[in-house]
Every structure is written in structure tokens, then in C-alpha cells.
Amino acid sequence: MHELAKMFRPQSVAVVGASGDPEKLGGRALLHLKTLGYQGRIYPINVSAAEVQGLPAFRSVMDLPEVPDCALILLPAGLVSKAVEDCAAKGVKHMQVLSSGFAEEGGEGVAMQRRLAEQARAHGIRFTGPNCLGSISPPDGYFGTFSSLLATARPGPGTVGVATQSGAYGSHIYAVAGFRGIGISRAIATGNEADVDVATAIDYLAEDPGTKVICASLEGCANDDGLRRALLKAAAARKPVIIMKVGSTEVGAAAAATHTGSLAGEDRVIDTVFRECGALRVSSIEEMLDVAYLCSVGPQPPNAGVGILSVSGGIGVLMADACIENGLQVPAMPPEVLAEIRAVQPMAGGRNPIDTTAQLAGRLHVVETISQSMMRGADLGAVMFYLAHLGRDLKRFPPLAKALTGLRRDYPDRAVVAVMTHVDEVRLALEAEGIAVFEDPNRAVRAVAGAERLRRLQLGAEAVPVIALSACNEAEAKRLIAEAGVPVPPEHACASATAAVAAAEALGYPVVLKILSDDIPHKTEVGGVLLNVADADAAARGFATLMERARQARPDAKLDGVLVAPMLKGGVETILGTLRDPVFGPMVMFGLGGVAVELFRDVAFASAPLTPHRAEALIAASRGARLIEGWRGAPPLDKAALVQALVALSRFAAAHPEVASVEVNPFLVREKGAAALDALVSISTRC
Amino acid sequence: MHELAKMFRPQSVAVVGASGDPEKLGGRALLHLKTLGYQGRIYPINVSAAEVQGLPAFRSVMDLPEVPDCALILLPAGLVSKAVEDCAAKGVKHMQVLSSGFAEEGGEGVAMQRRLAEQARAHGIRFTGPNCLGSISPPDGYFGTFSSLLATARPGPGTVGVATQSGAYGSHIYAVAGFRGIGISRAIATGNEADVDVATAIDYLAEDPGTKVICASLEGCANDDGLRRALLKAAAARKPVIIMKVGSTEVGAAAAATHTGSLAGEDRVIDTVFRECGALRVSSIEEMLDVAYLCSVGPQPPNAGVGILSVSGGIGVLMADACIENGLQVPAMPPEVLAEIRAVQPMAGGRNPIDTTAQLAGRLHVVETISQSMMRGADLGAVMFYLAHLGRDLKRFPPLAKALTGLRRDYPDRAVVAVMTHVDEVRLALEAEGIAVFEDPNRAVRAVAGAERLRRLQLGAEAVPVIALSACNEAEAKRLIAEAGVPVPPEHACASATAAVAAAEALGYPVVLKILSDDIPHKTEVGGVLLNVADADAAARGFATLMERARQARPDAKLDGVLVAPMLKGGVETILGTLRDPVFGPMVMFGLGGVAVELFRDVAFASAPLTPHRAEALIAASRGARLIEGWRGAPPLDKAALVQALVALSRFAAAHPEVASVEVNPFLVREKGAAALDALVSISTRC
């Protein structure tokens, strides 16, 4: 059993600060426990009353006849510390601190919250909050929250688990889930997260036997390996995780920081971590619930192929477009299957989508034949039916229900989805058979695409090994990356024109001259690079030119002379980089160099360190991959050298926490070999 | 009055093929007219009955006591022609042909449809269909359709007009509109479009005084100027047009062609035409109705600024993110406004979104003060309130209703949007005041963004002049574009090495050599270009090299020698192009050349011909624009020369219908001047 199981599914609960007035928070929480079906033991704690809302009350947790599984704390902030001492004295191991007045108020509240966390830790107590909404477990009739929402919209029991930081966010999710008939297993709001955070809640839900699908929302993230571990645990258990991270734009992130005081991780890093750990990131609650609904009703599609049967040609095409745009496939049916279909419905058009046309009235039984034929005609992960308004027509629906449920039973691992306007009676009957029902065609397609993508993400999820940290090293950029194993062409630092000519003669012409100065990291901006230097005369003149340009552009820069390097031609310029994310640690980046990175941000990220296999996947994730493979008849380039360099650079980044970032730009990948033509290493000043 | 007004809002209607059996199409259509509130005169036409469904029936339209405004034809296909003759004899000017069995069945049906169109045209009769669902006008109680949907879901009267080709598509739209309480003015399904098409229906709705917002769906488009004119008419009337074009992916387009037999225009061309004519393209029915709803309830936001007030920090951030992602702005409130806000709600966080926190219970009146302060703090086109579940709480909602309606009255041209779970009573009261209500935060933001974008699109909509067509001209590519006014550097066709050296000496070194052959349009693929040819010796050797390479690669190609051209350096490579769309005519394209066009498809389109002003807008629509303006301290390039070349090329394309496409790639834009380095002109074989 998970160590937090008793926190979220308690057999007995103390309500500390219980009130007789249901308008007060401590009264409303007690009322919810009393009246909404909870079968466990409820102990109101109230210093002055012998009875609260008809239940016998106790002055302190210490007076209780047993150790409650969980204590809900609803006292004013200043009284919480004493209550925690009482809980500790009694031996309570789980609390939910719903009281506000802590870090969210700043000032003294921050210190109070820190003391609360220390106090609980000292006594071995785990807790949610402070300033949280509590949690619910509809299958147990347990609603341990003061949310006023429950008066008008109470979610039913089900298999979708919800973990959010914000209570309002969480209750919005479960309220909308309730309206749409999506049942909830547990919903947990973690508030200020002085102990249990969303990552911990996901970890719990990943083990919770009643939870099949997990919906989560993060505002910040202070617990790096915890989140990764929790997501990987869910992926290993094949529980789909659909996750939102709010604060993805600059305005949003600024607001999130104000709101939560926690760190808004760099958005693409979050994307990467979610993807690597098998979670599907979505950007709206609606999409989250659509995917969760599909995954909770029936199986995730085992492949990207979709069969579409539509009573409207136009809507069939709309859905096919949406499939392609969302990464699904719509394989054409073979001629023999089309012949079978036309044998029962001569008007049927298309090869997939199959347009039965509206001339189906009175002959709805042919839908069964057509859909069975389609299943035989291609390897379909999902079959989607557009049935217009037939879901509102109880008289005419039975042959369609027969077609849908027959398919469901004959192909138990495929997703079957009906898109139509409908009455609840029809929807509930189909859902009971494992068939999902949507009203909007696009939302249905996006849900299928999300569920299918989740399946692939979870299959691909893998743990990234944690590397032991080594000591700081402040040697300069090129030497560092060369030592790390990134190929760097021979080049010579020359303090005089004579030395530059000698170096060029030794390398062989043509050469490249580059200004050498710690104060000028971006050489091209001062005209500090000369290409194709062809002879001794040009080399000597080039030295003078570069020194003069640098002096003009940066009179205060300390100039160390020029670098002389061989002029490498051919190949494709790429960019390699690393950065150390404050939450998720070392990340590595690959992209096409030059205009592609500047204008199109064609870069992909992965957590460091990379294996060769993951390095190949990183390369494939960028559009530049097509140039590496040999573009338009050009010979393929040395991908092995690129992979080796990425692996080496990623290991370097993982092993050196003092390195804030590395940028190798350009990294030239050639037909044979590859070379770092420039590199910039930023060392964190904290080391 | 629009010439089709009597077709869609008839005062009298003949039902040709009326039946006493409501299970039959001709019975159901009559039943709808009889029972759903239509106040006009209904004439059943039936060859054998004196009375149908209790109404006196007539053997023929010719026997009617008046000329009906419209005749609904519900006969079997073979009987339609005779009915049309009767209508013509009576003087009927409008028909809706609901009968199927025409072009959608192929074969003889195609010919029958053609004859029907000719027959109607000869008699001056306008008609929808055949194979259409008819039309409805809920404000008139007029439901001239056999759609079985009306039995269970009938849209209410309102101001949203709907025009679709497919009946199922159209009825899906108005059914969902009905469920959501969005009222419909007219909904028109055009079926096989032998006469009236969706463009014509939009044209009607643009003039219809009862229609405020237009929703349309196209599968194909056979009427180019008609669609442009209709959209521009709606834009001029400031009626928002929200439009879908199904068949946007290859699979979808193939299916659309099967379904409708009409042409699926190239998707980006459609995008361009919609945008130029001020229509908002959406990809789902849900988004269409969300935007239509917002525009029909209240004003479109007059600018992109959005104020967000949220009782949940997390949802506020979610909405701010969504605003930015959808092109809206979320301006920060100035300190004095924040001070006003904190004076009434000390816990309030953020600068916009303003997070009131959930500690608002019992003090909901402060929302009015806060929102009024926000309005004074920035120029907001829309104010959005996230109010969690308060829309379900009739007791607590009144102070919020006061805040919302107060804002609405004080700022009549701004959009006010409430996002919350809610009961119908609350929603209807707010909608009556011009306040839109959504449940999902992201959908609300997308609707605001769509309405705001529509406003900008309509302001920018302008007619593109139609150019008279000239005779064919088969001269070769470079000369054609040079004559058209596109700058082409001097270059010499040389049939021998000697001639090549002479040409190079005349131009001055370095030069470029390019293989010259009609059979080798893509020179680089055979290694057919030599850059930086530095002297006479290199030019002579280069001639031999190119001829040899071409012979190796294309032994059967006819070689005309080499082109010798000056070697132009510096500047940015772009691509200019034109194509002649089969539906929308000449289009012009601009983008960044090289890898940018190959990998990123960074190109933008506009209808030809361009004015200089529209050419600048076309350039700005591509990411390459940043390089033209001067990138990272580089000097700005000669945009005027680029604009001139685009205008010249667009005029050339517009004036020469025989030119299927032009590709100038690369077109080098330099600090001073610009030049076409290569050009390919494809002449249509029909000319």
C-alpha cells in the first residue's frame, strides 16, 4: 500500500476546527463528510462544544478513542501549530492542512509555513497544504473539502484521478468531469505544497488500484526527480497521464511566479521531460478531459490507423483532415473491401472515410456490415462513426448500437468512437460497452490522437540515469569540449602577424583567421572572422585587419591576437548545445545552424546524458535531420560522428554542474567526420 | 431586397410531392411547415389527393390561386422536369429541389442535373439543389426541410446565418447551435449546387437584415469571383464570416473530390482568399460556433488587449497563456490601478491576470470595483472573468451580475465574457445584457481571439482588381520576366569555351558558369553550376567540366552550351513565384530561399496582381522579412527593389493566363538592388 493511501482514503478522519455552522469552512467540510455517503468514522474536534452537527465532539485529537487515519486542519493559521503537536502526540501520520494564511500571504506567513513543515517532518507526519482544498474520493463517498461546488455539482465515482496544485483549478476539472459523466477516483489539491506536491500525488495515483487514468496540472515544479519518477511509474503501470503546465508564455509565467512563488521551468524543458517520461501535455482542460474520457471508457488505440464511417460526406472529410493534422493515418480500403461495402450500400462513396450518404434511412443495419468490412480492410487502431443526430432517436438507434457493440466485442483492443448528437440514455448504454461518445467531430479526433500518442509516449518512456557530480573545472571552452570528446580542428593562437603566417603555413592554405578575445564572445558582430585566407600575404594583412576592426568596435576589449584554423568546406552547419535547467538539470540541444536556428528555432531538446540511441532520436526530432541523411541526392553526412559528439557533449554537461551552458555553433557535419568551428562555455558563478 | 429573399423567407410555398405520410420526405416537409409556426400560405401539390394532411391539395402548381414565392420539389428525380415546366408556366421564380438521384449518382444523373439547370435558367428560375436539405428560417417559423432532426432538436430564432453545401453538415451546425442556445436566422443547404452555391447563399446572408453573423462551410468551390464578392460584401457590412473549408489535407481532399465532384482548391490558396476577403477560417464546428456565439451576443473586441480577473490564480495564468498563444495581449496594470485593487482586496495578486484568490466569499461586490479599475488601467478590447462555479449559485451571483452588466453598459463597445460553470438561468440573463458565457477557459479565449482577428481581417479586406487577359506568349523564361520588370543580371549564352572566356572577360571576374539546356531545369542536381570562376583559364576549364557533367548525368539531353553571368555576392536569397489556381486564378508567393523554403516552407501567398502596399504585407508575412530588414546589425537590404520585382511579377502572372507558374529561385536581394539568379516559367499546354 502506498504510504499516502490513508491520507486520501481514510477509514477515520478528525475534523480539527469543526463548526456547527455550514457557512463556515470547518462546518461545510464536516457537513460534506456527514451527508455525502462516507462510511468511515468522523471525529469533530472543537474546543468548546460537546456536540457538533449532531456528532459527539472532542476538545483535542489527543482525546480521540483511536488514532485517526487523517486529520483535516481547518483552524486559523495561528492555531495550526498547537493542533499539529496534538496530532503528533496522538500518533497521527497524515494531515490535510486546509487553513490559509501561510506562504501565499508573504512575510510572516512564509516563516510560519517553513516552521509547519519542519514540525511535521520532525514528527514523521505527511501533509497536503497549507492553503489547500483537500481531497475527494467519490467511490468512498469521501469529500474531505470545504468546496462550495459540491452543493451543486458533485462528481460521480469512476477511474480518473486528478492531481492539481490549485484547488479552484482542480474543482473546475472535476466539476466539468461531473457534468460530462466522467467518473473520478480521487481528486487531490496540494495547495502551497509545503510537503506533498503534485508529483507526489501523481506517484500515489500511479499506485492507486482504483485509478486508471491520471489528469494533473502543475504551476511550478520544485521537485525534479520526484516528478520524473512519478511519471515513469505511471508509464510503467500503463496509466495514461494527461498533464497541463500553466505559465507557458512569458506573461503567463510571470503571473504564475507571482501566484505560486515557485519556479516556472523553461517551457521547452518541461515539454521534453513530459515527453521522455511518457506523459501527454495538453493546453486546455477540455482536451485533458476528452483524452481522459476516451482512455477511461475503452482501450487506447494500438496504432495510428483510423477508419471513418460517416453518414455525411462533408463531416467524414472534416474528420479525415483532422486525423492527418493530428498525426493519425486514414488508410484507404482495398478494392475487395469497397466491393463488399457497395454490395450492401451501392451509394457508398470514398475509400476511407466511407460516406454511406444520408440514404441510409430504414437500412441502418448495413452499418454493421460496412464497419466489419472496414476492420478487415486495414489495420485500424480506432474506428470512428459519424452518425449525425441518430443518437437522439431511440427508435432508430438499436441497429447502430448492435454494429458498435459487435465491433467492440470482436476487436477488444481497438477504440470504437461514436460522434453524434445524442440523449444521455444512448450515451450511457454505449459507454457501458466501452464505446466513447462525442458530439463534436474535431474533439473526438483530437481525443483519439491524444490517446494514441500517449500509448507511444508511454512505450518510449525510459529513465534517464542520474550522474554523480564532479568538481568544478575552469579550463577554456575549446579545450574543455575537445577533452570531453567533441572533435575540434587544430588551431593556433597567434599574438603577432608573423606567428599567424607561420601557423597558416603549417596548416596549409586556405585558412580562417578569427579574433581572439575573452571580451568578444560573438566575433561576427565585430567583423572578427576572415574566411578563405589564401596565402602568406593575405594572412599577414588579415591579422592587421582583425586587430584594427576589434579595436574600432570594442576599444576597451583585451585582445589576445588571432586564432588560425584550417578552412573546412562542405557539409552542413548544425548547432549543439547544453543548458542546465534549474529544475530538471542538464539538457542537451540539437538543431540546424545558421538561419534555421535564428529564424525558425528548429532545435530539439533531450535530457542529458544521452545514449547513442537517444542521440539519434534527438537528431531525428529536428527538421535538419533531412540534410544529414543526404538531401536531394547529396551524399549522406557522417551521422555517426554527430551522434558521438552529442553523446560526449551530453556526458560533459551531466558531469559538470558548474557548466551553465555550452553552445557549439557551428558544428560542421561533413561527409567524413565533423568539427566544432566555434564554442562558447558559460560557467555558473556559484561554483 | 435580395433577389433570393423570397426563396429563403417565402410568404407562400408550394410543396410539390406532398404526402399524407410523415415518414415520407414529402410528408415530413409538409408536417414541418404546418406545425412549427409558419404563418405563410402552404399549398400541397399531389396528383391524386384532394386533401393532404388536412390541407386542400392541388394537382399541379398551375392550379394554384396565386404564384407561390417558392416551390419545394420533393418528387422522384424522373418527375422533376415536368414539375419545373409547371412552375415556369405559373411564373414561379424560386425553387428548392430536395429530390435526390442527380449528379451525386453519376452516369445519367449528371446529364439530368445539367438539363435541370438549363431548363431553370431558360425560364429565369433560381433554385437550390438538387439533392439538398432545403432551408430554415426560425424567426419566421419556417422549416422547409425534411430533416428528421427537427423532431428532437429545433434551433431557436436568432441572428446567426448558416450556409453549407452538405445538409448533414448544416444540420449538425444548427443542432449544436440549438443545444447551446445560439439562435439561427436562416440556415441554407445548397446540395449539388446546380445553381445557387454557398457563395450565393453567403451573398444573400450578407444582405439579409436579420442576419448578424455568418457561418459557412465549403467542400469545393466552383465560383471564384462569386465567393470573393460575397465575402467582401459581408466584410463591408461588418458581418463576421466564420468559414470552414473541408478537404484541407491530401486524404481529406481526395475524399472531398469523391464526395462532391467539385474542385478542392489548393489549401493555402483558400487560406489566402479567405484572409484577403476578411473571413475567419476555422477548422472545427465547435470553434465556428464559439466565435459566432461571441459575435452574436455582444460586440467584437475593438483591440487585442484583454483584461483577466480570476478567482483562481492557476486558471488566470492558463487564460493568459492562451491569450498570448492566440495573438492577444495581456497588458500589465499600472501601479496606481493595482493600488486601487489592493485597497478593496488586499490579497489580490498579479498585474493582469488579477488573481482575486478564492478569499472572495462574502465580498463578491469588490469584483465590480476591481473590474472597473482594470478598465481604466489599460485599453482593453475585452474583459474576461473566471468565476469558477459561482454561475451555479443563484444566491451569491447578484453582485457579480451587477459588476458584469455595469461594465457592459459603461463600455458598450468592449467584449465582456464570463467563464464559469453555470445554470441556464444565469447564462440567459447575462446573454440578454450582451455578456457571453463560456464554461471552458481555453474555448472562451479562442473565441475572443477569433472575434478580434475577424475585426482586423474585415478592416483589411479589399477587392483585388480583375485584369483583362492578353494573348499567349511563348518567349523564354528570363527574357519574359526581364521584360515584365524583374531585374535579371546580364548573362551570355556561350556555345564554346572560347565564347565563354570572351563573355567572362567582358563581364569581369569572378563569374558564374551554368549549363544551358531545356532538358535540365534543375541544374544543381547534375552539378551544372560553377561559382567563383576566377580567370580565363578557369573559365575555359569550367566550360569543359560542365558539358562533361551534363553528358554523364543526362546522356539524352540537348546541350546548348553554358550561361556566363557575373558572380553576385552578399545579400539574402529569396524565392518569388506565381501559380495559377484553377479556382481563384493567379496567386503570387514570396519566401526565404534555400534551406528555409525546402525544409520550413516559409512562404506566404497573395492574390495577383499586387499593389506595392500589398507586396510589403506579403513580405512581412514571411519570417524571411527579418533578414530583409537587417538582421543582427547587418545593414537593411533593398526592400524597394524586392517590392518592385514582386509587383512586376504579379502583374505578369495576372496578365498571362497561359503561364501556369513562375519560380524565380534564388532571387538575390542585396544592399543595393536585387537580381533574379535563376528562373523557371511553365506554360500551360492548353494555350
Side-chain angles (χ1 to χ4, degrees):
Chain A
M1 193 164 71
H2 194 280
E3 62 164 332
L4 298 184
K6 287 187 175 177
M7 185 184 284
F8 301 121
R9 304 186 68 189
Q11 300 282 323
S12 53
V13 59
V15 181
V16 185
S19 161
D21 178 2
E23 287 298 303
K24 293 189 175 164
L25 303 190
R28 206 180 309 140
L30 181 62
L31 186 71
H32 291 158
L33 289 173
K34 264 182 56 194
T35 56
L36 301 178
Y38 179 54
Q39 301 294 315
R41 297 172 295 284
I42 308 167
Y43 299 112
I45 310 294
N46 184 304
V47 286
S48 56
E51 194 186 282
V52 179
Q53 295 188 29
L55 292 173
F58 300 81
R59 284 185 59 82
S60 158
V61 170
M62 288 191 292
D63 301 336
L64 294 182
E66 66 171 320
V67 180
D69 282 348
C70 184
L72 303 189
I73 314 285
L74 293 128
L75 298 166
L79 304 178
V80 170
S81 174
K82 173 68 175 65
V84 174
E85 282 307 312
D86 291 355
C87 284
K90 186 71 181 181
V92 169
K93 290 299 170 200
H94 302 101
M95 304 186 307
Q96 300 213 39
V97 184
L98 284 63
S99 313
S100 60
F102 290 87
E104 79 281 6
E105 296 207 341
E108 172 56 18
V110 177
M112 277 176 62
Q113 180 168 319
R114 196 174 50 237
R115 287 196 298 272
L116 167 63
E118 285 162 5
Q119 187 186 9
R121 195 179 311 115
H123 294 302
I125 300 177
R126 301 299 307 267
F127 68 104
T128 59
N131 188 34
C132 78
L133 197 70
S135 70
I136 66 171
S137 176
D140 301 314
Y142 176 78
F143 293 86
T145 172
F146 55 76
S147 171
S148 58
L149 173 68
L150 298 180
T152 58
R154 196 163 73 248
T159 58
V160 175
V162 179
T164 65
Q165 183 177 355
S166 151
Y169 209 110
S171 58
H172 188 98
I173 293 174
Y174 67 64
V176 176
F179 303 148
R180 292 190 43 194
I182 304 174
I184 298 292
S185 57
R186 329 296 156 213
I188 300 164
T190 54
N192 289 5
E193 302 196 335
D195 175 21
V196 170
D197 60 7
V198 169
T200 314
I202 294 172
D203 188 276
Y204 162 69
L205 294 171
E207 287 192 24
D208 174 32
T211 296
K212 192 172 151 190
V213 179
I214 299 171
C215 291
S217 161
L218 291 173
E219 291 179 30
C221 181
N223 182 345
D224 58 321
D225 271 350
L227 181 62
R228 276 198 174 108
R229 272 199 311 270
L231 294 178
L232 288 168
K233 182 187 281 187
R238 291 287 175 270
K239 292 189 183 181
V241 180
I242 307 135
I243 193 161
M244 300 181 75
K245 162 74 177 64
V246 300
S248 65
T249 61
E250 276 173 43
V251 170
T258 327
H259 173 60
T260 67
S262 62
L263 192 70
E266 207 272 292
D267 201 55
R268 295 189 68 164
V269 171
I270 294 273
D271 267 351
T272 302
V273 170
F274 288 170
R275 190 185 67 239
E276 288 177 342
C277 297
L280 180 74
R281 185 176 188 178
V282 295
S283 58
S284 83
I285 292 172
E286 190 169 82
E287 188 182 359
M288 167 179 276
L289 287 174
D290 283 346
V291 178
Y293 167 71
L294 191 79
C295 294
S296 69
V297 167
Q300 290 169 261
N303 65 56
V306 177
I308 300 171
L309 182 156
S310 176
V311 299
S312 151
I315 302 263
V317 173
L318 174 74
M319 290 173 69
D321 280 349
C323 281
I324 302 301
E325 282 159 17
N326 285 282
L328 296 168
Q329 288 147 24
V330 189
M333 293 292 139
E336 62 274 20
V337 166
L338 294 175
E340 283 175 31
I341 292 171
R342 301 221 166 96
V344 296
Q345 179 71 354
M347 301 275 302
R351 301 180 57 191
N352 188 15
I354 298 292
D355 172 14
T356 64
T357 80
Q359 319 292 327
L360 207 61
R363 321 187 44 247
L364 290 170
H365 60 279
V366 301
V367 168
E368 183 171 9
T369 316
I370 296 174
S371 58
Q372 290 280 354
S373 291
M374 289 177 75
M375 259 317 195
R376 286 192 299 271
D379 189 14
L380 303 175
V383 191
M384 306 187 73
F385 295 78
Y386 176 72
L387 299 172
H389 317 293
L390 290 162
R392 301 179 64 80
D393 193 333
L394 291 174
K395 259 196 311 192
R396 296 169 76 203
F397 202 74
L400 296 171
K402 181 159 175 288
L404 291 160
T405 53
L407 214 56
R408 191 86 214 75
R409 283 176 201 154
D410 295 345
Y411 299 91
D413 65 330
R414 311 298 157 127
V416 179
V417 179
V419 182
M420 56 192 183
T421 63
H422 51 269
V423 291
D424 281 348
E425 184 176 341
V426 167
R427 177 176 61 80
L428 292 170
L430 291 176
E431 286 172 355
E433 298 282 347
I435 296 158
V437 181
F438 287 85
E439 183 180 281
D440 185 74
N442 291 74
R443 277 173 64 179
V445 169
R446 277 198 301 269
V448 169
E452 199 278 331
R453 185 164 149 70
L454 248 175
R455 182 193 55 81
R456 279 183 287 130
L457 285 170
Q458 292 202 318
L459 285 175
E462 56 174 315
V464 176
V466 175
I467 289 281
L469 304 181
S470 82
C472 280
N473 178 327
E474 295 186 29
E476 47 79 41
K478 281 268 178 71
R479 187 179 60 75
L480 280 177
I481 66 166
E483 277 180 8
V486 177
V488 175
E491 51 187 24
H492 304 279
C494 302
S496 68
T498 317
V501 171
E505 300 280 337
L507 287 170
Y509 294 102
V511 296
V512 180
L513 301 187
K514 298 189 274 189
I515 193 72
L516 185 57
S517 166
D518 285 349
D519 300 328
I520 306 178
H522 299 290
K523 304 175 189 71
T524 51
E525 288 178 6
V526 301
V529 179
L530 293 177
L531 303 176
N532 266 317
V533 176
D535 53 34
D537 190 40
R541 273 186 286 119
F543 184 93
T545 302
L546 290 186
M547 295 298 278
E548 179 55 26
R549 283 184 187 169
R551 262 183 229 113
Q552 292 277 343
R554 303 280 163 85
D556 52 344
K558 179 178 172 299
L559 304 181
D560 300 320
V562 304
L563 272 179
V564 181
M567 176 78 199
L568 298 179
K569 289 189 180 179
V572 166
E573 290 190 356
T574 66
I575 176 168
L576 318 185
T578 76
L579 62 88
R580 180 160 292 268
D581 183 75
V583 171
F584 293 105
M587 310 293 298
V588 59
M589 180 188 87
F590 169 74
L592 206 57
V595 164
V597 65
E598 298 286 358
L599 291 187
F600 299 100
R601 299 180 174 277
D602 174 34
V603 290
F605 286 84
S607 297
L610 293 172
T611 59
H613 177 73
R614 290 181 60 240
E616 292 208 22
L618 174 61
I619 296 166
S622 117
R623 297 210 212 174
R626 294 166 69 186
L627 294 186
I628 306 292
E629 302 290 350
W631 174 249
R632 292 211 152 192
L637 303 177
D638 193 341
K639 188 158 79 176
L642 173 60
V643 166
Q644 203 172 12
L646 277 168
V647 170
L649 193 67
S650 74
R651 286 188 180 144
F652 172 74
H656 292 87
E658 76 283 7
V659 174
S661 70
V662 179
E663 187 173 303
V664 183
N665 181 19
F667 182 76
L668 188 69
V669 185
R670 308 171 75 195
E671 278 183 52
K672 205 165 162 48
L677 300 192
D678 199 357
L680 196 58
V681 176
S682 305
I683 304 291
S684 166
T685 51
R686 282 177 303 172
C687 288
Chain B
M1 194 164 70
H2 194 279
E3 62 164 329
L4 299 185
K6 287 187 175 176
M7 184 184 285
F8 301 122
R9 303 187 69 189
Q11 301 282 324
S12 53
V13 58
V15 182
V16 185
S19 161
D21 178 1
E23 287 297 303
K24 294 189 174 164
L25 303 190
R28 207 182 306 141
L30 182 62
L31 186 71
H32 292 157
L33 290 173
K34 264 182 56 193
T35 58
L36 300 178
Y38 179 55
Q39 302 293 316
R41 297 173 295 285
I42 309 168
Y43 300 112
I45 309 295
N46 184 304
V47 286
S48 55
E51 193 186 284
V52 179
Q53 295 188 29
L55 292 173
F58 300 82
R59 284 185 59 81
S60 158
V61 170
M62 289 190 291
D63 301 335
L64 293 182
E66 65 172 320
V67 180
D69 283 347
C70 184
L72 302 188
I73 313 285
L74 292 127
L75 297 166
L79 305 178
V80 170
S81 174
K82 172 70 175 67
V84 174
E85 282 307 314
D86 291 355
C87 284
K90 186 71 181 180
V92 170
K93 290 298 170 201
H94 301 101
M95 304 187 305
Q96 300 213 37
V97 183
L98 283 65
S99 312
S100 60
F102 290 86
E104 79 279 8
E105 296 206 343
E108 173 56 18
V110 177
M112 277 175 62
Q113 180 169 319
R114 196 174 49 239
R115 287 196 298 273
L116 167 63
E118 285 161 5
Q119 187 186 7
R121 195 179 312 116
H123 293 302
I125 301 177
R126 300 300 307 264
F127 68 105
T128 60
N131 187 33
C132 79
L133 197 70
S135 70
I136 65 173
S137 175
D140 301 314
Y142 176 78
F143 293 86
T145 173
F146 54 76
S147 170
S148 58
L149 173 69
L150 297 180
T152 59
R154 194 163 75 247
T159 58
V160 175
V162 179
T164 66
Q165 182 177 356
S166 151
Y169 209 110
S171 58
H172 188 99
I173 294 174
Y174 66 65
V176 175
F179 304 148
R180 292 190 43 193
I182 303 173
I184 298 292
S185 57
R186 328 296 156 214
I188 300 164
T190 54
N192 288 5
E193 302 194 334
D195 174 22
V196 170
D197 60 7
V198 169
T200 315
I202 294 173
D203 188 276
Y204 162 69
L205 294 170
E207 286 190 25
D208 174 32
T211 296
K212 191 172 150 190
V213 179
I214 300 170
C215 292
S217 162
L218 291 174
E219 292 178 32
C221 180
N223 182 344
D224 58 321
D225 270 351
L227 181 62
R228 277 197 174 108
R229 271 199 312 269
L231 295 177
L232 288 168
K233 183 188 280 188
R238 291 287 176 269
K239 292 189 183 182
V241 179
I242 307 134
I243 193 161
M244 300 180 76
K245 164 72 177 66
V246 302
S248 65
T249 62
E250 277 174 40
V251 169
T258 326
H259 173 59
T260 66
S262 62
L263 191 70
E266 206 273 292
D267 200 55
R268 296 188 68 163
V269 171
I270 294 275
D271 266 351
T272 301
V273 170
F274 288 170
R275 192 185 65 239
E276 289 177 341
C277 297
L280 180 73
R281 185 177 188 178
V282 295
S283 58
S284 82
I285 292 171
E286 189 169 82
E287 189 183 358
M288 168 180 275
L289 288 174
D290 283 347
V291 178
Y293 167 71
L294 191 79
C295 294
S296 69
V297 167
Q300 288 168 262
N303 65 56
V306 176
I308 300 171
L309 183 155
S310 176
V311 299
S312 151
I315 302 263
V317 173
L318 173 75
M319 291 173 68
D321 280 349
C323 282
I324 303 301
E325 282 158 18
N326 285 281
L328 297 167
Q329 287 148 23
V330 189
M333 292 292 139
E336 63 275 18
V337 167
L338 295 174
E340 284 175 28
I341 291 171
R342 300 223 165 95
V344 296
Q345 178 71 354
M347 299 276 301
R351 301 180 57 192
N352 188 15
I354 299 291
D355 172 14
T356 64
T357 79
Q359 318 293 327
L360 208 61
R363 321 186 45 246
L364 291 170
H365 59 281
V366 301
V367 167
E368 182 171 10
T369 316
I370 295 174
S371 58
Q372 290 280 353
S373 291
M374 290 177 75
M375 261 314 196
R376 286 191 299 272
D379 189 13
L380 304 175
V383 191
M384 305 186 73
F385 294 79
Y386 176 72
L387 299 172
H389 316 293
L390 290 162
R392 301 178 64 79
D393 194 333
L394 290 174
K395 260 196 311 194
R396 297 169 74 203
F397 202 75
L400 296 171
K402 182 160 174 286
L404 292 160
T405 53
L407 214 55
R408 191 86 216 75
R409 283 175 200 155
D410 296 346
Y411 299 91
D413 65 330
R414 311 298 156 128
V416 179
V417 179
V419 182
M420 56 193 182
T421 63
H422 52 268
V423 292
D424 280 348
E425 184 175 342
V426 167
R427 176 176 62 80
L428 292 170
L430 291 176
E431 286 172 356
E433 297 283 347
I435 296 158
V437 181
F438 286 86
E439 184 180 280
D440 186 73
N442 291 74
R443 277 172 65 179
V445 170
R446 278 197 301 270
V448 169
E452 199 279 331
R453 185 164 150 69
L454 249 175
R455 184 192 54 82
R456 277 182 290 130
L457 285 169
Q458 293 202 319
L459 284 176
E462 55 175 315
V464 175
V466 176
I467 289 280
L469 304 181
S470 81
C472 280
N473 179 327
E474 294 185 28
E476 46 79 41
K478 280 268 179 72
R479 187 179 61 76
L480 278 178
I481 67 166
E483 277 180 10
V486 177
V488 174
E491 51 188 24
H492 304 279
C494 303
S496 69
T498 317
V501 171
E505 300 280 336
L507 286 169
Y509 294 101
V511 297
V512 180
L513 303 185
K514 299 189 272 189
I515 192 72
L516 185 56
S517 166
D518 285 349
D519 300 328
I520 306 179
H522 298 290
K523 305 174 187 72
T524 52
E525 288 178 6
V526 301
V529 179
L530 293 176
L531 303 176
N532 267 317
V533 176
D535 53 33
D537 190 39
R541 273 187 287 120
F543 184 92
T545 302
L546 290 186
M547 295 297 279
E548 178 56 26
R549 283 183 186 169
R551 263 182 228 114
Q552 291 278 343
R554 303 280 162 85
D556 52 342
K558 178 178 173 298
L559 305 181
D560 300 320
V562 304
L563 272 179
V564 181
M567 175 78 199
L568 298 180
K569 290 190 181 178
V572 166
E573 290 189 356
T574 66
I575 177 170
L576 317 185
T578 76
L579 63 87
R580 179 160 293 268
D581 182 76
V583 172
F584 293 104
M587 309 293 298
V588 58
M589 181 189 85
F590 170 74
L592 206 57
V595 164
V597 65
E598 298 286 0
L599 291 186
F600 300 100
R601 298 180 173 276
D602 174 35
V603 291
F605 287 84
S607 297
L610 294 172
T611 59
H613 177 71
R614 290 180 60 241
E616 291 208 22
L618 174 61
I619 296 166
S622 117
R623 296 210 213 174
R626 294 166 68 187
L627 293 187
I628 306 293
E629 302 290 351
W631 174 249
R632 292 212 152 191
L637 304 177
D638 193 342
K639 188 158 78 177
L642 174 60
V643 166
Q644 202 172 12
L646 276 167
V647 169
L649 193 67
S650 74
R651 286 189 180 143
F652 173 73
H656 293 86
E658 74 284 7
V659 173
S661 70
V662 178
E663 188 173 302
V664 182
N665 182 19
F667 183 77
L668 189 68
V669 186
R670 308 172 75 196
E671 278 184 52
K672 204 163 162 49
L677 301 191
D678 198 358
L680 195 59
V681 176
S682 305
I683 304 290
S684 165
T685 51
R686 281 177 304 170
C687 288

